[in-house]
Structure formats: C-alpha cells, structure tokens
C-alpha cells in the first residue's frame, strides 16, 4: 500500500509539472493558467465566463490543479501557424475568444487563435493584434470576467502553464467530441 501511495503521489506531482516549452503543449491534455500578478484562470459557472481569481497582486495564489473549472486546453489546428493555439475551456466546453473591444468571451465555435510565446521563465498569451493578455476583472463591477487590457505589460501578463493534476487527459469526454466536430481544423 505504501509503494502504491508513493507511485500515485509521484504521478500526480509529475502531472502537475510546469510546462517549459511550447512543444510540451499537446491537444489531448489540459492545463492550468496562472498569471504571476493576478491569480489564475477559471471558468465562472455562475456568470458563464472566464475569470481571473483576483485583480490584486497575489503571485502566491495558485490554482488547485484539481478543480475542473481550472482546466484549459491549448489546441493546435491542422493548419494552425507555429505558436498559435485555440484556447479551450474544458469545463464550459467552449472556446475562449477575444470579443469586441477588450472583452474575453466563450463560444462553441473556434473563431480565432491566440498567440502564445515564451520569454524567459514565462509565457505570454496575445490576441490577434499582438497585444499581450493582461488579465483583469472587467471594469464593470457587475461582472467578474477577464478582459484583454491594452496596457503596458506587467506581472499580470506573465503566465505559468502547468499540466492539470487530475484527469490530465480530457479524452473521451464530450468536450473532445465537440472539438472533433470541427473537421478540417483539428487533426
């Protein structure tokens, strides 16, 4: 029993490992996204959108790695340019898009990709125009969703991506079935 527990612990620790390169992101895995300055991404079931855990500088607050609302997939399409990904919220079973202005919205249709780059120890996620994703709560106090802020890069732009600790593979869920419906985009 002790040996099995140790193996289970090592497996979990390995699954929760920080991603070091873009080549580590694969279509059949899910990940957590933590910003250095504003907490982490999660799906807000109540509001039906994606939020950051706080707008304060809370680099010590990390995702649990076990909450399904923290699961996101970086999906490469068959013809997706290098460094570009469709960002998919696994629990919502929807794609994360940048909407009008600086809003982040969810959609069942993969309308566009996000550019993901690695600089030093951190990843940066950018919208199509190249503005780095600066995760804040919306200015409207009635909503807690993320927005893409046109702002000078700061600690909120620096992101850590980790393999999701539990249920690392999201196959064969309904989520993957929905992704497969978009033939011609995903291999």
């Amino acid at each position: 029993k002790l040996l099995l527990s140790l193996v289970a612990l090592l497996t979990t620790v390995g699954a929760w490992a920080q991603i070091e390169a873009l080549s580590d992101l694969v279509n059949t895995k899910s990940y957590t996204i933590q910003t250095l300055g504003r907490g982490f991404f999660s799906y807000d079931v109540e509001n039906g959108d994606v939020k950051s855990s706080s707008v304060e500088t809370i680099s010590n607050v990390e995702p649990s790695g076990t909450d399904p609302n923290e699961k996101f997939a970086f999906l490469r399409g068959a013809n997706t340019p290098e460094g570009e990904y469709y960002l998919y919220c696994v629990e919502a079973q929807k794609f994360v898009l940048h909407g009008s202005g600086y809003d982040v919205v969810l959609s069942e249709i993969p309308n566009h990709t996000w550019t993901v780059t690695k600089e030093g120890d951190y990843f940066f996620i950018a919208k199509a125009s190249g503005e780095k994703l600066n995760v804040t709560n919306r200015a409207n106090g009635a909503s807690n969703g993320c927005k893409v802020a046109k702002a000078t890069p700061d600690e909120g732009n620096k992101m850590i991506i980790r393999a999701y600790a539990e249920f690392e593979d999201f196959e064969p869920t309904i989520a993957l079935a929905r992704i497969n419906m978009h033939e011609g985009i995903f291999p």
Side-chain angles (χ1 to χ4, degrees), residues 74-145:
F74 291 87
L75 302 172
R76 287 287 314 280
N79 298 308
T80 306
E82 190 70 30
E84 290 187 19
Y85 298 83
Y86 293 90
L87 186 57
Y88 189 75
C89 178
V90 178
E91 189 66 11
Q93 298 181 19
K94 292 182 178 179
F95 294 88
V96 181
L97 309 180
H98 48 79
S100 61
Y102 300 108
D103 282 344
V104 173
V105 298
L106 292 175
S107 171
E108 292 187 6
I109 301 171
N111 285 333
H112 65 255
T113 56
W114 295 88
T115 300
V116 182
T117 56
K118 180 82 186 291
E119 297 176 24
D121 294 331
Y122 302 102
F123 289 95
F124 294 89
I125 299 176
K127 56 187 282 188
S129 64
E131 294 167 302
K132 291 176 179 176
L133 187 64
N134 190 343
V135 184
T136 64
N137 280 355
R138 288 185 184 143
N140 178 357
S143 176
N144 291 321

Side-chain angles (χ1 to χ4, degrees), residues 18-19 32-36 62 121-123 158-162:
Q18 187 168 323
I19 301 303
T32 59
I33 305 169
Q34 177 190 354
T35 74
L36 190 64
E62 296 183 358
D121 294 331
Y122 302 102
F123 289 95
K158 297 179 179 180
M159 303 194 187
I160 297 169
I161 301 172
R162 290 191 180 93

Side-chain angles (χ1 to χ4, degrees), residues 24-44:
D24 295 335
L25 299 173
V26 296
N27 280 12
T28 56
K29 305 286 183 188
S30 53
Y31 305 90
T32 59
I33 305 169
Q34 177 190 354
T35 74
L36 190 64
R38 296 187 183 87
F40 55 91
F41 284 25
S42 63
Y43 172 56
D44 187 342

Side-chain angles (χ1 to χ4, degrees), residues 6-20:
L6 183 58
V7 168
L9 177 63
L10 289 174
T11 302
T12 300
V13 170
W16 187 224
Q18 187 168 323
I19 301 303
E20 299 296 333

